[in-house]
Amino acid sequence: MSIILTSMADTVTTYAQVSNPTPEAPPLADKIQQMVQYLTWFMILSGVLAITVAGGKFAWEKWNGSAMESPKMIAGAMIGGVVATSGGTIMNAILG
């Protein structure tokens, strides 16, 4: 019976000596980071393009006197831009 207790005490001591592991980047982390940078660039480009197209459509609708649908497009592009650019900030706040 004393052998089992000694063995359990050694096991507990061994577990207590495990250190806090240091974080290490996973394999292909540099490729994933490059992909995220490309996606960020694409989001910025698509936002600028959406606002430009909506501005052109706004001018065309104003010139022709047709129904105004482009202000909704401009608002949607701006809201989408805010969501896209604040995604990283939100994730940093959540993950610490």
Side-chain angles (χ1 to χ4, degrees):
M1 186 102 167
S2 65
I3 294 173
I4 294 172
L5 292 176
T6 304
S7 176
M8 288 176 61
D10 290 338
T11 304
V12 171
T13 303
T14 303
Y15 285 145
Q17 293 175 355
V18 174
S19 65
N20 190 8
T22 58
E24 183 178 330
L28 300 173
D30 54 339
K31 299 292 182 186
I32 293 171
Q33 185 174 7
Q34 185 179 17
M35 183 184 72
V36 168
Q37 290 172 347
Y38 286 157
L39 290 174
T40 303
W41 179 84
F42 180 73
M43 290 301 298
I44 292 170
L45 180 67
S46 64
V48 169
L49 183 64
I51 291 176
T52 303
V53 168
K57 188 174 179 183
F58 183 72
W60 183 260
E61 289 171 352
K62 186 85 167 163
W63 188 60
N64 283 338
S66 59
M68 296 296 242
E69 296 178 7
S70 55
K72 295 176 195 173
M73 291 175 61
I74 294 174
M78 294 181 122
I79 291 171
V82 167
V83 169
T85 56
S86 64
T89 307
I90 292 170
M91 289 305 293
N92 284 336
I94 291 172
L95 298 177

